[in-house]
mmCIF file of all heavy atoms in Angstrom:
data_model
loop_
_atom_site.group_PDB
_atom_site.id
_atom_site.type_symbol
_atom_site.label_atom_id
_atom_site.label_comp_id
_atom_site.label_asym_id
_atom_site.label_seq_id
_atom_site.Cartn_x
_atom_site.Cartn_y
_atom_site.Cartn_z
ATOM 1 N N SER S 1 70.823 20.326 -111.179
ATOM 2 C CA SER S 1 71.373 21.302 -112.149
ATOM 3 C C SER S 1 70.383 22.434 -112.373
ATOM 4 O O SER S 1 70.660 23.676 -112.388
ATOM 5 C CB SER S 1 71.686 20.599 -113.437
ATOM 6 O OG SER S 1 72.167 21.608 -114.391
ATOM 7 N N GLU S 2 69.109 22.027 -112.503
ATOM 8 C CA GLU S 2 68.022 23.107 -112.765
ATOM 9 C C GLU S 2 67.939 23.922 -111.518
ATOM 10 O O GLU S 2 67.767 25.111 -111.605
ATOM 11 C CB GLU S 2 66.694 22.326 -112.975
ATOM 12 C CG GLU S 2 65.652 23.312 -113.323
ATOM 13 C CD GLU S 2 64.280 22.649 -113.639
ATOM 14 O OE1 GLU S 2 64.157 21.388 -113.354
ATOM 15 O OE2 GLU S 2 63.309 23.290 -114.235
ATOM 16 N N LEU S 3 68.017 23.449 -110.303
ATOM 17 C CA LEU S 3 67.951 24.142 -109.127
ATOM 18 C C LEU S 3 69.114 25.172 -108.995
ATOM 19 O O LEU S 3 68.845 26.393 -108.688
ATOM 20 C CB LEU S 3 68.004 23.206 -107.840
ATOM 21 C CG LEU S 3 68.026 23.888 -106.495
ATOM 22 C CD1 LEU S 3 66.687 24.582 -106.247
ATOM 23 C CD2 LEU S 3 68.329 22.941 -105.397
ATOM 24 N N MET S 4 70.300 24.777 -109.340
ATOM 25 C CA MET S 4 71.444 25.722 -109.275
ATOM 26 C C MET S 4 71.271 26.813 -110.334
ATOM 27 O O MET S 4 71.759 27.888 -110.103
ATOM 28 C CB MET S 4 72.730 24.914 -109.396
ATOM 29 C CG MET S 4 73.011 23.920 -108.274
ATOM 30 S SD MET S 4 73.131 24.776 -106.678
ATOM 31 C CE MET S 4 73.125 23.322 -105.590
ATOM 32 N N LEU S 5 70.853 26.450 -111.538
ATOM 33 C CA LEU S 5 70.615 27.449 -112.530
ATOM 34 C C LEU S 5 69.624 28.475 -112.097
ATOM 35 O O LEU S 5 69.715 29.691 -112.429
ATOM 36 C CB LEU S 5 70.241 26.780 -113.808
ATOM 37 C CG LEU S 5 71.366 26.071 -114.619
ATOM 38 C CD1 LEU S 5 70.825 25.411 -115.841
ATOM 39 C CD2 LEU S 5 72.564 27.006 -114.973
ATOM 40 N N GLY S 6 68.595 27.969 -111.350
ATOM 41 C CA GLY S 6 67.594 28.977 -110.801
ATOM 42 C C GLY S 6 68.191 29.907 -109.855
ATOM 43 O O GLY S 6 67.894 31.102 -109.872
ATOM 44 N N LYS S 7 69.082 29.450 -108.999
ATOM 45 C CA LYS S 7 69.764 30.314 -108.041
ATOM 46 C C LYS S 7 70.778 31.299 -108.815
ATOM 47 O O LYS S 7 70.905 32.517 -108.459
ATOM 48 C CB LYS S 7 70.606 29.528 -107.067
ATOM 49 C CG LYS S 7 69.808 28.696 -106.068
ATOM 50 C CD LYS S 7 70.589 27.833 -105.097
ATOM 51 C CE LYS S 7 69.804 27.065 -104.109
ATOM 52 N NZ LYS S 7 69.492 27.824 -102.947
ATOM 53 N N ALA S 8 71.343 30.770 -109.941
ATOM 54 C CA ALA S 8 72.239 31.637 -110.673
ATOM 55 C C ALA S 8 71.463 32.801 -111.415
ATOM 56 O O ALA S 8 71.876 33.884 -111.406
ATOM 57 C CB ALA S 8 72.928 30.794 -111.737
ATOM 58 N N ARG S 9 70.233 32.426 -111.887
ATOM 59 C CA ARG S 9 69.387 33.461 -112.458
ATOM 60 C C ARG S 9 69.003 34.460 -111.394
ATOM 61 O O ARG S 9 69.027 35.691 -111.671
ATOM 62 C CB ARG S 9 68.161 32.815 -113.077
ATOM 63 C CG ARG S 9 68.473 31.912 -114.262
ATOM 64 C CD ARG S 9 67.134 31.536 -114.992
ATOM 65 N NE ARG S 9 67.403 30.485 -115.984
ATOM 66 C CZ ARG S 9 67.274 29.203 -115.801
ATOM 67 N NH1 ARG S 9 66.984 28.767 -114.518
ATOM 68 N NH2 ARG S 9 67.581 28.295 -116.730
ATOM 69 N N ALA S 10 68.671 34.045 -110.190
ATOM 70 C CA ALA S 10 68.271 34.976 -109.221
ATOM 71 C C ALA S 10 69.406 35.903 -108.829
ATOM 72 O O ALA S 10 69.164 37.118 -108.635
ATOM 73 C CB ALA S 10 67.857 34.199 -107.893
ATOM 74 N N ALA S 11 70.618 35.383 -108.721
ATOM 75 C CA ALA S 11 71.740 36.239 -108.409
ATOM 76 C C ALA S 11 72.025 37.236 -109.579
ATOM 77 O O ALA S 11 72.333 38.375 -109.280
ATOM 78 C CB ALA S 11 73.079 35.410 -108.283
ATOM 79 N N ALA S 12 71.843 36.826 -110.773
ATOM 80 C CA ALA S 12 71.980 37.757 -111.908
ATOM 81 C C ALA S 12 70.999 38.841 -111.835
ATOM 82 O O ALA S 12 71.257 39.933 -112.309
ATOM 83 C CB ALA S 12 71.806 36.995 -113.202
ATOM 84 N N GLY S 13 69.889 38.661 -111.255
ATOM 85 C CA GLY S 13 68.842 39.615 -111.114
ATOM 86 C C GLY S 13 69.046 40.556 -109.897
ATOM 87 O O GLY S 13 68.245 41.354 -109.559
ATOM 88 N N GLY S 14 70.193 40.288 -109.157
ATOM 89 C CA GLY S 14 70.534 41.203 -108.016
ATOM 90 C C GLY S 14 70.129 40.636 -106.677
ATOM 91 O O GLY S 14 70.387 41.303 -105.679
ATOM 92 N N ALA S 15 69.586 39.485 -106.690
ATOM 93 C CA ALA S 15 69.211 38.894 -105.377
ATOM 94 C C ALA S 15 70.430 38.000 -104.769
ATOM 95 O O ALA S 15 71.250 37.667 -105.510
ATOM 96 C CB ALA S 15 67.928 38.069 -105.568
ATOM 97 N N VAL S 16 70.257 37.702 -103.510
ATOM 98 C CA VAL S 16 71.109 36.720 -102.843
ATOM 99 C C VAL S 16 70.223 35.464 -102.542
ATOM 100 O O VAL S 16 69.323 35.543 -101.744
ATOM 101 C CB VAL S 16 71.644 37.271 -101.576
ATOM 102 C CG1 VAL S 16 72.506 36.214 -100.874
ATOM 103 C CG2 VAL S 16 72.526 38.452 -101.847
ATOM 104 N N PRO S 17 70.457 34.371 -103.356
ATOM 105 C CA PRO S 17 69.556 33.182 -103.256
ATOM 106 C C PRO S 17 69.646 32.657 -101.821
ATOM 107 O O PRO S 17 70.575 32.701 -101.176
ATOM 108 C CB PRO S 17 70.250 32.214 -104.233
ATOM 109 C CG PRO S 17 70.930 33.050 -105.270
ATOM 110 C CD PRO S 17 71.460 34.232 -104.436
ATOM 111 N N THR S 18 68.473 32.158 -101.429
ATOM 112 C CA THR S 18 68.429 31.503 -100.087
ATOM 113 C C THR S 18 69.138 30.219 -100.082
ATOM 114 O O THR S 18 69.027 29.393 -101.042
ATOM 115 C CB THR S 18 66.860 31.234 -99.682
ATOM 116 O OG1 THR S 18 66.194 32.442 -99.743
ATOM 117 C CG2 THR S 18 66.776 30.655 -98.365
ATOM 118 N N MET S 19 69.942 30.079 -99.034
ATOM 119 C CA MET S 19 70.722 28.802 -98.940
ATOM 120 C C MET S 19 69.837 27.625 -98.491
ATOM 121 O O MET S 19 68.842 27.737 -97.853
ATOM 122 C CB MET S 19 71.878 28.980 -97.983
ATOM 123 C CG MET S 19 72.986 29.766 -98.462
ATOM 124 S SD MET S 19 74.426 29.803 -97.322
ATOM 125 C CE MET S 19 73.782 30.952 -96.102
ATOM 126 N N GLU S 20 70.317 26.394 -98.868
ATOM 127 C CA GLU S 20 69.507 25.201 -98.545
ATOM 128 C C GLU S 20 69.474 24.950 -97.108
ATOM 129 O O GLU S 20 70.468 25.286 -96.362
ATOM 130 C CB GLU S 20 70.219 23.981 -99.249
ATOM 131 C CG GLU S 20 70.205 24.145 -100.747
ATOM 132 C CD GLU S 20 68.856 24.077 -101.417
ATOM 133 O OE1 GLU S 20 67.998 23.096 -101.081
ATOM 134 O OE2 GLU S 20 68.452 24.961 -102.097
ATOM 135 N N GLU S 21 68.426 24.481 -96.652
ATOM 136 C CA GLU S 21 68.368 24.126 -95.134
ATOM 137 C C GLU S 21 69.138 22.865 -94.846
ATOM 138 O O GLU S 21 69.021 21.934 -95.680
ATOM 139 C CB GLU S 21 66.808 23.875 -94.722
ATOM 140 C CG GLU S 21 66.023 25.229 -94.750
ATOM 141 C CD GLU S 21 66.555 26.173 -93.735
ATOM 142 O OE1 GLU S 21 66.969 25.753 -92.682
ATOM 143 O OE2 GLU S 21 66.516 27.298 -93.987
ATOM 144 N N PRO S 22 69.834 22.786 -93.768
ATOM 145 C CA PRO S 22 70.651 21.615 -93.421
ATOM 146 C C PRO S 22 69.706 20.415 -93.116
ATOM 147 O O PRO S 22 68.615 20.611 -92.460
ATOM 148 C CB PRO S 22 71.430 22.010 -92.203
ATOM 149 C CG PRO S 22 70.598 23.193 -91.602
ATOM 150 C CD PRO S 22 69.994 23.882 -92.707
ATOM 151 N N THR S 23 70.072 19.194 -93.541
ATOM 152 C CA THR S 23 69.300 18.029 -93.370
ATOM 153 C C THR S 23 69.926 17.060 -92.525
ATOM 154 O O THR S 23 69.488 15.916 -92.377
ATOM 155 C CB THR S 23 68.831 17.424 -94.683
ATOM 156 O OG1 THR S 23 70.010 17.258 -95.450
ATOM 157 C CG2 THR S 23 67.946 18.398 -95.477
ATOM 158 N N SER S 24 71.168 17.405 -92.055
ATOM 159 C CA SER S 24 71.864 16.414 -91.067
ATOM 160 C C SER S 24 72.620 17.260 -90.129
ATOM 161 O O SER S 24 72.832 18.512 -90.237
ATOM 162 C CB SER S 24 72.786 15.533 -91.992
ATOM 163 O OG SER S 24 73.813 16.362 -92.500
ATOM 164 N N ASP S 25 73.120 16.540 -89.106
ATOM 165 C CA ASP S 25 74.003 17.244 -88.036
ATOM 166 C C ASP S 25 75.223 17.830 -88.673
ATOM 167 O O ASP S 25 75.708 18.973 -88.328
ATOM 168 C CB ASP S 25 74.253 16.310 -86.899
ATOM 169 C CG ASP S 25 73.070 15.886 -86.084
ATOM 170 O OD1 ASP S 25 72.066 16.651 -86.137
ATOM 171 O OD2 ASP S 25 73.095 14.879 -85.417
ATOM 172 N N GLY S 26 75.771 17.097 -89.601
ATOM 173 C CA GLY S 26 77.027 17.578 -90.238
ATOM 174 C C GLY S 26 76.781 18.892 -91.023
ATOM 175 O O GLY S 26 77.572 19.829 -90.923
ATOM 176 N N LEU S 27 75.683 18.912 -91.778
ATOM 177 C CA LEU S 27 75.338 20.131 -92.410
ATOM 178 C C LEU S 27 74.952 21.279 -91.561
ATOM 179 O O LEU S 27 75.214 22.423 -91.887
ATOM 180 C CB LEU S 27 74.159 19.786 -93.493
ATOM 181 C CG LEU S 27 74.489 19.050 -94.709
ATOM 182 C CD1 LEU S 27 73.213 18.694 -95.494
ATOM 183 C CD2 LEU S 27 75.496 19.879 -95.551
ATOM 184 N N LYS S 28 74.363 20.934 -90.386
ATOM 185 C CA LYS S 28 74.049 22.018 -89.512
ATOM 186 C C LYS S 28 75.375 22.688 -88.978
ATOM 187 O O LYS S 28 75.413 23.882 -88.778
ATOM 188 C CB LYS S 28 73.299 21.477 -88.279
ATOM 189 C CG LYS S 28 71.897 21.123 -88.593
ATOM 190 C CD LYS S 28 71.132 20.492 -87.374
ATOM 191 C CE LYS S 28 69.794 20.100 -87.735
ATOM 192 N NZ LYS S 28 69.022 19.478 -86.594
ATOM 193 N N VAL S 29 76.354 21.882 -88.672
ATOM 194 C CA VAL S 29 77.647 22.466 -88.374
ATOM 195 C C VAL S 29 78.234 23.333 -89.506
ATOM 196 O O VAL S 29 78.653 24.464 -89.210
ATOM 197 C CB VAL S 29 78.669 21.335 -88.004
ATOM 198 C CG1 VAL S 29 80.008 21.854 -87.758
ATOM 199 C CG2 VAL S 29 78.181 20.540 -86.795
ATOM 200 N N LEU S 30 78.138 22.808 -90.734
ATOM 201 C CA LEU S 30 78.673 23.665 -91.819
ATOM 202 C C LEU S 30 77.927 24.938 -92.041
ATOM 203 O O LEU S 30 78.468 26.010 -92.298
ATOM 204 C CB LEU S 30 78.638 22.813 -93.097
ATOM 205 C CG LEU S 30 79.596 21.565 -93.179
ATOM 206 C CD1 LEU S 30 79.394 20.904 -94.509
ATOM 207 C CD2 LEU S 30 81.015 21.944 -92.915
ATOM 208 N N ARG S 31 76.586 24.788 -91.841
ATOM 209 C CA ARG S 31 75.755 26.031 -91.986
ATOM 210 C C ARG S 31 76.140 27.103 -90.912
ATOM 211 O O ARG S 31 76.186 28.249 -91.251
ATOM 212 C CB ARG S 31 74.267 25.675 -91.972
ATOM 213 C CG ARG S 31 73.302 26.858 -92.084
ATOM 214 C CD ARG S 31 73.513 27.611 -93.408
ATOM 215 N NE ARG S 31 72.585 28.774 -93.394
ATOM 216 C CZ ARG S 31 71.388 28.784 -93.928
ATOM 217 N NH1 ARG S 31 70.861 27.641 -94.395
ATOM 218 N NH2 ARG S 31 70.712 29.912 -93.892
ATOM 219 N N GLY S 32 76.339 26.640 -89.744
ATOM 220 C CA GLY S 32 76.770 27.508 -88.612
ATOM 221 C C GLY S 32 78.064 28.203 -89.016
ATOM 222 O O GLY S 32 78.155 29.447 -88.754
ATOM 223 N N ARG S 33 78.952 27.463 -89.610
ATOM 224 C CA ARG S 33 80.303 28.144 -89.935
ATOM 225 C C ARG S 33 80.045 29.162 -91.079
ATOM 226 O O ARG S 33 80.661 30.233 -91.063
ATOM 227 C CB ARG S 33 81.235 27.049 -90.534
ATOM 228 C CG ARG S 33 81.729 26.201 -89.357
ATOM 229 C CD ARG S 33 82.624 25.054 -89.929
ATOM 230 N NE ARG S 33 83.053 24.069 -88.932
ATOM 231 C CZ ARG S 33 83.726 23.010 -89.155
ATOM 232 N NH1 ARG S 33 84.049 22.617 -90.456
ATOM 233 N NH2 ARG S 33 84.116 22.188 -88.214
ATOM 234 N N VAL S 34 79.164 28.864 -91.953
ATOM 235 C CA VAL S 34 78.766 29.734 -93.071
ATOM 236 C C VAL S 34 78.211 31.084 -92.583
ATOM 237 O O VAL S 34 78.594 32.185 -92.891
ATOM 238 C CB VAL S 34 77.875 29.104 -94.134
ATOM 239 C CG1 VAL S 34 77.411 30.201 -95.147
ATOM 240 C CG2 VAL S 34 78.575 28.010 -94.784
ATOM 241 N N ASP S 35 77.250 30.905 -91.662
ATOM 242 C CA ASP S 35 76.516 32.021 -91.081
ATOM 243 C C ASP S 35 77.503 32.952 -90.308
ATOM 244 O O ASP S 35 77.397 34.143 -90.352
ATOM 245 C CB ASP S 35 75.422 31.598 -90.243
ATOM 246 C CG ASP S 35 74.290 31.004 -91.038
ATOM 247 O OD1 ASP S 35 74.201 31.235 -92.313
ATOM 248 O OD2 ASP S 35 73.435 30.211 -90.501
ATOM 249 N N ALA S 36 78.418 32.362 -89.504
ATOM 250 C CA ALA S 36 79.338 33.068 -88.708
ATOM 251 C C ALA S 36 80.367 33.787 -89.675
ATOM 252 O O ALA S 36 80.819 34.926 -89.277
ATOM 253 C CB ALA S 36 80.062 32.162 -87.810
ATOM 254 N N ALA S 37 80.718 33.238 -90.721
ATOM 255 C CA ALA S 37 81.790 33.837 -91.605
ATOM 256 C C ALA S 37 81.224 34.886 -92.462
ATOM 257 O O ALA S 37 81.866 35.843 -92.840
ATOM 258 C CB ALA S 37 82.395 32.759 -92.498
ATOM 259 N N LEU S 38 79.947 34.821 -92.919
ATOM 260 C CA LEU S 38 79.407 35.730 -93.944
ATOM 261 C C LEU S 38 78.838 37.047 -93.149
ATOM 262 O O LEU S 38 77.647 37.323 -93.244
ATOM 263 C CB LEU S 38 78.345 35.115 -94.746
ATOM 264 C CG LEU S 38 78.686 34.047 -95.719
ATOM 265 C CD1 LEU S 38 77.578 33.532 -96.492
ATOM 266 C CD2 LEU S 38 79.846 34.481 -96.669
ATOM 267 N N THR S 39 79.738 37.696 -92.563
ATOM 268 C CA THR S 39 79.400 39.061 -91.985
ATOM 269 C C THR S 39 79.407 40.027 -93.046
ATOM 270 O O THR S 39 80.085 39.943 -94.076
ATOM 271 C CB THR S 39 80.365 39.377 -90.836
ATOM 272 O OG1 THR S 39 81.668 39.533 -91.457
ATOM 273 C CG2 THR S 39 80.450 38.379 -89.701
ATOM 274 N N PRO S 40 78.607 41.142 -92.838
ATOM 275 C CA PRO S 40 78.708 42.264 -93.820
ATOM 276 C C PRO S 40 80.073 42.710 -94.121
ATOM 277 O O PRO S 40 80.372 43.049 -95.343
ATOM 278 C CB PRO S 40 77.762 43.324 -93.236
ATOM 279 C CG PRO S 40 76.873 42.583 -92.293
ATOM 280 C CD PRO S 40 77.689 41.457 -91.718
ATOM 281 N N GLY S 41 80.914 42.842 -93.145
ATOM 282 C CA GLY S 41 82.291 43.325 -93.486
ATOM 283 C C GLY S 41 83.042 42.426 -94.308
ATOM 284 O O GLY S 41 83.816 42.836 -95.194
ATOM 285 N N ARG S 42 82.993 41.103 -94.109
ATOM 286 C CA ARG S 42 83.748 40.155 -94.915
ATOM 287 C C ARG S 42 83.216 40.131 -96.276
ATOM 288 O O ARG S 42 83.933 40.022 -97.262
ATOM 289 C CB ARG S 42 83.768 38.835 -94.274
ATOM 290 C CG ARG S 42 84.520 38.691 -92.981
ATOM 291 C CD ARG S 42 84.812 37.306 -92.514
ATOM 292 N NE ARG S 42 85.638 37.193 -91.325
ATOM 293 C CZ ARG S 42 85.199 36.864 -90.118
ATOM 294 N NH1 ARG S 42 83.920 36.495 -89.957
ATOM 295 N NH2 ARG S 42 86.018 36.832 -89.055
ATOM 296 N N VAL S 43 81.898 40.089 -96.395
ATOM 297 C CA VAL S 43 81.255 40.134 -97.757
ATOM 298 C C VAL S 43 81.676 41.339 -98.508
ATOM 299 O O VAL S 43 81.952 41.344 -99.698
ATOM 300 C CB VAL S 43 79.732 40.024 -97.643
ATOM 301 C CG1 VAL S 43 79.088 40.249 -99.014
ATOM 302 C CG2 VAL S 43 79.324 38.702 -97.027
ATOM 303 N N GLU S 44 81.799 42.460 -97.805
ATOM 304 C CA GLU S 44 82.205 43.721 -98.491
ATOM 305 C C GLU S 44 83.602 43.670 -98.988
ATOM 306 O O GLU S 44 83.919 44.143 -100.100
ATOM 307 C CB GLU S 44 82.059 44.918 -97.446
ATOM 308 C CG GLU S 44 82.514 46.264 -97.986
ATOM 309 C CD GLU S 44 81.516 46.930 -98.864
ATOM 310 O OE1 GLU S 44 80.301 46.531 -98.826
ATOM 311 O OE2 GLU S 44 82.020 47.759 -99.654
#
């Protein structure tokens, strides 16, 4: 909870918080999907 609130505060300050590093093969797959989806055009 404290970690997520820290990320929320960073976002409120105008930053984009760094995402958590994947710690398993399943999370590596999910992180790959996130990186592929979050293109500048889609975020815009």
Side-chain angles (χ1 to χ4, degrees):
S1 178
E2 184 177 14
L3 177 68
M4 294 301 169
L5 285 176
K7 290 176 182 274
R9 292 188 191 96
V16 176
T18 302
M19 284 186 285
E20 299 295 305
E21 290 297 325
T23 55
S24 67
D25 290 340
L27 283 175
K28 288 179 182 178
V29 172
L30 294 182
R31 178 61 183 269
R33 292 176 182 174
V34 172
D35 291 341
L38 292 182
T39 62
R42 291 192 178 111
V43 172
E44 176 79 21

